[in-house]
Amino acid sequence: MKEEFNIISNLIEKNTRVLDVGCGNGDLMKFLQENKTKDIRGLEISKEKVQNCLSKGLTVIEGNAESDLKQFPKSSFDYVILSQTLQAFLNPELVINELLKVGKKVIVTIPNFGYWRVRLQLLFKGTMPVTENLPHEWYNTPNLHMCTIKDFYNFCSTKNIKIFKSIALKKSRISEINKSNLNYKNLDSHLGIFLIES
Amino acid sequence: MNKNIDTKKIIISNPLKLDCGKEINNFPIAYETYGELNSEKSNAILVFHALTGDQYVSGKNPITNKDGWWSYVVGENKPIDTNKFFVICANVIGGCMGSYGPSTINESTGKQIGTDFPIITINDMVNAQYELIKYLEIEKLFAVVGGSMGGMQVLQFVANFPDKAKLAIPIACTSSHSAQNIAFNELGRQAIMADSKWENGFYSNYKLNPDKGLAVARMAAHITYLSEKGLQEKFGRKLQDRDSLRYGFEADFQIESYLRYQGSVFVDRFDANSYLYITRAMDYFDLSKQYKGNLSDAFKKTKTKFFVISFTSDWLYPTSENREIVIALNSIGADVGFVEIESDKGHDSFLLDVPSFLKTLGDYINSTYKIINERRI
């Protein structure tokens, strides 16, 4: 978690306006507030988590990214962050489009379903993968649309979404993803972090 | 009612131009304060009361001898902690707890003003209370807070005085009274005016009181403050002090007895004309109309932080209407937080012991106070 926060923080310029979509209990918001910018908002669907955030004095709105991002004006945030949440939406493509409208730049992080540990579970055990990063069983997972680093990379190029930076994370090892190492990074990383723009 | 209440009162000498076109001056504003104003005057919170509330937010209400109407929220070690904050609450104009209202005695006639009192609006109420803030010499409030009609006043206050509060917390309210809201208020008013003792509003001249009408108004309104689930769980079809139906029109059911009781205690503490005037003010409230149909424009000039709260079972001021406020604020990039609190206690949730509401409100106010003070805004 800490590495992911650091990477996200390094992608963000100081004193900019940030929206964290699916902000959970506000850990990333707090981290960014201390390190980068005071001007940060959150959107979260769980009442309990919204209440936790508000209790910490964080500005968070209870709402659903699929329906409530519309209320923010175009380009009203310098950065919109979607941290490990894309796979939980009914319509991830719609959400990405909404994020790209609301934010000048968008940071998306993706738990990589192409990671070799994940692949091995299906290949050898013959069961749906359960890992540290993807701890749910198939019958109770909130994740509806799992994808791989390569899937998201290809999605961006198909939809003409500019990738400014793509970073792979394995444990605490950070590396850049590019066209030539894509297959390898897709196999060897548990998390992909993308800085994109429409 | 305007019995000789020993209440804090100031006389506003500045003329106040009302929305109806009339002007009032030298009028009283009754208020109460709790806690101490700090030396920087940075810890003041102005609380606005709802339709039948008054200035007695916390502690014992000297008129009713019951706890203040927001005792769960305001007091020592409460979510709005009076060890830390200086809390101010004024009786709205049009009210009957010492502020200028229809039961105020007209000095030239020695009689109550009655329905010669001008029609007032939420805007007028807020402008009158601003005079109190000036009198208390508070340059900037830490927060303005209120539920229901109090929430409407919060919205109006920030629109009128965009740089006078750091934080605004409108709770269970709306930016514009809906047809359903107006309908229920009209029902209450008609009940009062249908009482033969109303005498076109001059009942006090005849030593009368339209208490039957006022009680019916209160009973009808009280139902709108609860939820179907809450009513069913609390009362169901339980009978009142009897084992079987009596085949008559006495209060067989507990819910009937409860409503009758609510009606009867209400008439002892509230003036029928005030009920007419204040419900009218609520019905006239339409903040977006004041800004040519664009609610966002009401908040364009403000840097005030907002925290909007609604309740799941509130069907009088439902979440959708509270969300409209959030949407209007978001569309201009204002600093707004929002949560819908789970509760089956209906609109009244904001007045009751709803732990997740009290905790979230208290934690939010306290951490925001800390953050703002650290930043020395």
Side-chain angles (χ1 to χ4, degrees):
Chain A
M1 217 52 162
K2 196 73 182 169
E3 291 82 19
E4 186 193 353
F5 287 6
N6 270 322
I7 297 168
I8 291 173
S9 178
N10 286 333
L11 293 173
I12 289 174
E13 283 177 54
K14 260 196 184 301
N15 301 323
T16 46
R17 244 171 100 77
V18 177
L19 173 67
D20 185 0
V21 176
C23 61
N25 287 316
D27 297 335
L28 177 60
M29 285 179 75
K30 262 264 176 271
F31 184 82
L32 294 175
Q33 211 170 49
E34 278 153 23
N35 295 294
K36 280 287 148 132
T37 178
K38 300 281 176 230
D39 197 359
I40 179 159
R41 313 285 161 77
L43 180 70
E44 169 59 44
I45 197 164
S46 145
K47 276 187 205 314
E48 201 191 322
K49 289 177 180 165
V50 173
Q51 286 168 29
N52 288 341
C53 290
L54 290 163
S55 289
K56 296 172 193 162
L58 297 168
T59 300
V60 172
I61 289 167
E62 181 186 336
N64 180 342
E66 275 165 303
S67 54
D68 292 325
L69 279 170
K70 284 185 202 72
Q71 60 186 272
F72 297 99
K74 197 170 182 296
S75 301
S76 52
F77 291 93
D78 297 305
Y79 299 91
V80 178
I81 304 166
L82 187 69
S83 163
Q84 303 200 33
T85 325
L86 185 62
Q87 71 282 358
F89 291 111
L90 275 175
N91 189 342
E93 185 181 357
L94 179 138
V95 173
I96 290 287
N97 289 336
E98 291 289 329
L99 296 176
L100 289 166
K101 256 184 238 160
V102 171
K104 292 175 192 156
K105 288 197 170 71
V106 174
I107 297 168
V108 182
T109 77
I110 286 170
N112 181 22
F113 218 63
Y115 187 35
W116 64 268
R117 284 178 185 278
V118 176
R119 295 193 201 189
L120 283 186
Q121 284 199 35
L122 192 57
L123 185 64
F124 288 115
K125 279 177 76 185
T127 58
M128 288 303 283
V130 177
T131 66
E132 202 180 317
N133 226 22
L134 300 163
H136 295 94
E137 293 285 353
W138 64 271
Y139 50 82
N140 63 10
T141 178
N143 300 326
L144 307 173
H145 294 272
M146 290 305 310
C147 73
T148 66
I149 286 177
K150 191 175 173 182
D151 281 328
F152 191 76
Y153 197 94
N154 291 341
F155 167 80
C156 290
S157 57
T158 317
K159 301 288 174 187
N160 288 323
I161 296 166
K162 263 180 261 163
I163 299 179
F164 273 87
K165 215 158 190 176
S166 45
I167 295 162
L169 188 65
K170 183 193 181 182
K171 300 258 152 90
S172 55
R173 236 181 40 235
I174 299 165
S175 55
E176 292 239 10
I177 305 167
N178 53 49
K179 224 175 189 164
S180 58
N181 70 9
L182 180 59
N183 279 322
Y184 172 66
K185 292 296 168 197
N186 192 36
L187 184 66
D188 196 39
S189 323
H190 74 268
L191 196 75
I193 296 159
F194 296 85
L195 177 65
I196 58 175
E197 190 190 78
S198 59
Chain B
M1 281 182 264
N2 264 342
K3 297 156 191 165
N4 286 323
I5 312 161
D6 183 25
T7 183
K8 288 196 187 89
K9 208 180 267 193
I10 55 163
I11 302 294
I12 308 294
S13 50
N14 280 347
L16 179 66
K17 177 104 187 210
L18 303 176
D19 282 334
C20 69
K22 291 187 180 143
E23 198 173 88
I24 57 174
N25 55 28
N26 293 315
F27 62 93
I29 291 283
Y31 68 101
E32 191 50 83
T33 65
Y34 305 85
E36 302 272 338
L37 186 62
N38 63 14
S39 53
E40 299 94 40
K41 297 188 175 183
S42 63
N43 67 335
I45 295 181
L46 178 61
V47 170
F48 295 104
H49 71 72
L51 166 58
T52 66
D54 50 44
Q55 63 272 42
Y56 302 110
V57 179
S58 184
K60 274 273 174 282
N61 181 320
I63 310 305
T64 60
N65 266 321
K66 290 186 176 157
D67 286 340
W69 60 270
W70 226 12
S71 293
Y72 283 117
V73 170
V74 179
E76 287 184 8
N77 305 315
K78 297 287 171 66
I80 296 178
D81 187 352
T82 48
N83 289 317
K84 188 195 253 180
F85 296 109
F86 177 63
V87 176
I88 310 152
C89 185
N91 186 212
V92 297
I93 56 168
C96 52
M97 281 292 205
S99 286
Y100 190 48
S103 57
T104 302
I105 304 292
N106 178 340
E107 278 173 14
S108 59
T109 63
K111 290 175 178 167
Q112 288 192 6
I113 301 170
T115 37
D116 285 338
F117 192 77
I119 291 289
I120 39 110
T121 62
I122 300 292
N123 180 44
D124 298 330
M125 290 175 182
V126 162
N127 289 336
Q129 287 174 82
Y130 182 60
E131 294 294 327
L132 174 64
I133 299 308
K134 281 201 285 191
Y135 166 81
L136 295 171
E137 296 180 336
I138 294 167
E139 185 49 40
K140 193 162 190 166
L141 294 157
F142 168 61
V144 283
V145 187
S148 197
M149 186 182 85
M152 299 177 205
Q153 292 174 78
V154 167
L155 300 176
Q156 185 77 59
F157 185 92
V158 179
N160 291 10
F161 311 106
D163 58 347
K164 293 295 175 191
K166 292 174 189 166
L167 174 65
I169 309 185
I171 305 166
C173 73
T174 182
S175 58
S176 133
H177 236 214
S178 69
Q180 177 176 265
N181 296 144
I182 297 168
F184 278 115
N185 278 347
E186 174 62 359
L187 172 66
R189 286 190 294 266
Q190 286 300 329
I192 291 166
M193 294 190 286
D195 189 321
S196 61
K197 291 191 284 182
W198 181 57
E199 296 286 355
N200 291 316
F202 296 100
Y203 42 86
S204 79
N205 294 355
Y206 308 95
K207 301 213 163 17
L208 295 172
N209 190 19
D211 48 0
K212 289 273 188 296
L214 181 59
V216 172
R218 177 62 167 178
M219 287 164 76
H222 201 88
I223 302 166
T224 70
Y225 305 151
L226 309 173
S227 74
E228 189 197 5
K229 186 164 179 271
L231 272 174
Q232 194 60 29
E233 275 173 9
K234 191 167 175 193
F235 301 104
R237 293 184 56 82
K238 280 185 260 181
L239 299 181
Q240 180 69 25
D241 301 328
R242 61 198 63 189
D243 300 324
S244 58
L245 300 175
R246 293 273 169 89
Y247 295 95
F249 294 109
E250 287 170 44
D252 276 345
F253 297 101
Q254 276 186 13
I255 179 63
E256 293 174 305
S257 168
Y258 172 78
L259 287 177
R260 287 180 190 194
Y261 174 75
Q262 291 296 334
S264 72
V265 292
F266 184 61
V267 299
D268 290 337
R269 71 171 178 92
F270 212 82
D271 175 52
N273 283 334
S274 276
Y275 198 88
L276 300 180
Y277 278 93
I278 298 175
T279 55
R280 204 70 189 131
M282 294 166 82
D283 290 347
Y284 279 7
F285 186 62
D286 185 351
L287 190 56
S288 58
K289 188 159 177 265
Q290 292 177 36
Y291 289 84
K292 301 195 170 76
N294 188 350
L295 182 58
S296 300
D297 285 352
F299 308 117
K300 258 204 169 127
K301 290 187 195 140
T302 188
K303 288 200 161 62
T304 301
K305 241 171 121 68
F306 277 83
F307 177 26
V308 179
I309 306 175
S310 72
F311 297 92
T312 49
S313 58
D314 183 351
W315 53 276
L316 195 60
Y317 299 101
T319 292
S320 58
E321 290 183 23
N322 288 273
R323 254 189 202 284
E324 275 173 30
I325 301 162
V326 177
I327 290 168
L329 286 162
N330 271 331
S331 79
I332 49 166
D335 187 341
V336 54
F338 164 72
V339 71
E340 181 196 48
I341 301 278
E342 191 86 44
S343 161
D344 60 11
K345 292 180 172 153
H347 178 58
D348 261 356
S349 296
F350 81 97
L351 297 169
L352 301 174
D353 186 14
V354 176
S356 61
F357 164 61
L358 297 174
K359 181 176 189 310
T360 308
L361 179 66
D363 287 350
Y364 182 82
I365 287 176
N366 286 305
S367 29
T368 304
Y369 185 64
K370 201 169 148 232
I371 292 166
I372 284 179
N373 276 0
E374 274 167 8
R375 274 194 251 161
R376 294 249 160 248
I377 290 175

